[in-house]
Amino acid sequence: MHNSIKPKVTLVGAGPGDPDLLTLKGVKALAEANVVLYDALANEEILEYAPKNSVKIFVGKRKGCHAYSQDQINQLMVDNALTYGNLVRLKGGDPFIFGRGSEEIEFVKSFGIPTFVVPGISSSIAVPANQGISLTKRGVSESFWVITGTTSDRNLSNDVALAAKSTATVVILMGMSKLEQIVALFQNESKGETPVAIIQNGTMSNEKIGIGTIDSIIEVVKENNLSSPAIIVIGEVVRERNKLKGFYKEVAFNKVCARD
């Protein structure tokens, strides 16, 4: 490492997908980057905020193919910070919401490299909001759960069963592969009529939304070819969505509402 290089690592939350939902602080951090490590869920348009001569390295996964393991990503962050100086680790959503950001920070810190975090707008809140779904609403929902659908051991989180017993809005990330299990847990609590929204590619130009109930949502997903990346929102607030109030009065839940 050249003596003049001062290593520094900044975790930047890229937001839910729409590049306009990157924070100003994130833009400023990228503008000073010598090297950027970015994930698949971080919109590549955001890389335009980094200097043209900065090194840009894709470290995410697409369609189940991992470019690098987490251990390799950790080491790449250290190696590139020591080589180039100012490194930005660009992560989708918020880096501390199921993004393994804290693991990365701890690893980098163990080498004595200064670290900083720029929070991002979490998709768990922004994607429903973009569709007019308020996760809390007076008289309807007093709280919300945000749960990962797939834990580190590839199983469904036990918290989903607990959430199904509550009156809270339930937001599940990375849960599409576990949808049948999720539905069964809510059916066990006699919540078959509870409204559900599944939003694919939230805040992006190719966003799709499927609307149903616990009892109908699997069929809705099949009919409309919904898949990951998608967010599952379960709760009465889905029915309260201003854009959908007329929709619920006129048609059954097993229809799909095109993005409006």
Side-chain angles (χ1 to χ4, degrees), residues 7-9 77-79 81-82 85 105 108-115:
K8 168 184 167 183
V9 170
M77 290 171 65
V78 170
D79 293 345
L82 293 173
I105 284 286
V108 172
K109 276 186 174 178
S110 72
F111 288 82
I113 298 172
T115 61

Side-chain angles (χ1 to χ4, degrees), residues 216-242:
S216 71
I217 197 62
I218 291 174
E219 189 60 33
V220 168
V221 167
K222 289 177 182 175
E223 285 178 0
N224 296 278
N225 197 28
L226 294 171
S227 61
S228 298
I231 287 178
I232 303 166
V233 184
I234 304 169
E236 290 301 321
V237 293
V238 174
R239 196 192 307 272
E240 293 291 317
R241 174 189 180 226
N242 286 331

Side-chain angles (χ1 to χ4, degrees), residues 134-142 237 240:
S134 176
L135 297 186
T136 62
K137 185 173 181 180
R138 187 181 300 182
V140 180
S141 175
E142 299 170 358
V237 293
E240 293 291 317

Side-chain angles (χ1 to χ4, degrees), residues 71-208:
D71 287 343
Q72 289 174 320
I73 291 170
N74 292 348
Q75 193 61 53
L76 276 171
M77 290 171 65
V78 170
D79 293 345
N80 281 280
L82 293 173
T83 300
Y84 296 104
N86 192 355
L87 180 142
V88 166
R89 174 74 172 99
L90 189 62
K91 302 176 72 69
D94 179 276
F96 283 178
I97 305 297
F98 305 125
R100 304 187 74 168
S102 59
E103 298 173 41
E104 295 180 358
I105 284 286
E106 287 166 10
F107 186 84
V108 172
K109 276 186 174 178
S110 72
F111 288 82
I113 298 172
T115 61
F116 303 88
V117 178
V118 177
I121 298 175
S122 174
S123 58
S124 61
I125 297 170
V127 168
N130 191 59
Q131 279 290 341
I133 299 171
S134 176
L135 297 186
T136 62
K137 185 173 181 180
R138 187 181 300 182
V140 180
S141 175
E142 299 170 358
S143 60
F144 62 91
W145 295 62
V146 178
I147 309 172
T148 178
T150 306
T151 62
S152 58
D153 57 7
R154 313 309 297 170
N155 293 319
L156 181 67
S157 170
N158 292 330
D159 284 348
V160 176
L162 295 174
K165 296 177 185 297
S166 76
T167 59
T169 305
V170 181
V171 181
I172 302 175
L173 310 183
M174 299 172 285
M176 289 299 282
S177 65
K178 303 287 194 299
L179 185 59
E180 290 187 6
Q181 290 175 253
I182 293 165
V183 163
L185 289 172
F186 278 81
Q187 288 174 332
N188 288 345
E189 301 298 331
S190 301
K191 292 188 174 179
E193 294 302 311
T194 301
V196 182
I198 293 184
I199 309 163
Q200 179 181 339
N201 297 318
T203 76
M204 302 287 284
S205 59
N206 58 343
E207 177 174 303
K208 294 168 66 178

Side-chain angles (χ1 to χ4, degrees), residues 2 22 26 36 58 61 77 116 118 128 149 185 209 217 260:
H2 194 276
L22 176 68
V36 181
F58 174 72
K61 61 179 181 178
M77 290 171 65
F116 303 88
V118 177
L185 289 172
I209 178 169
I217 197 62
D260 43 32

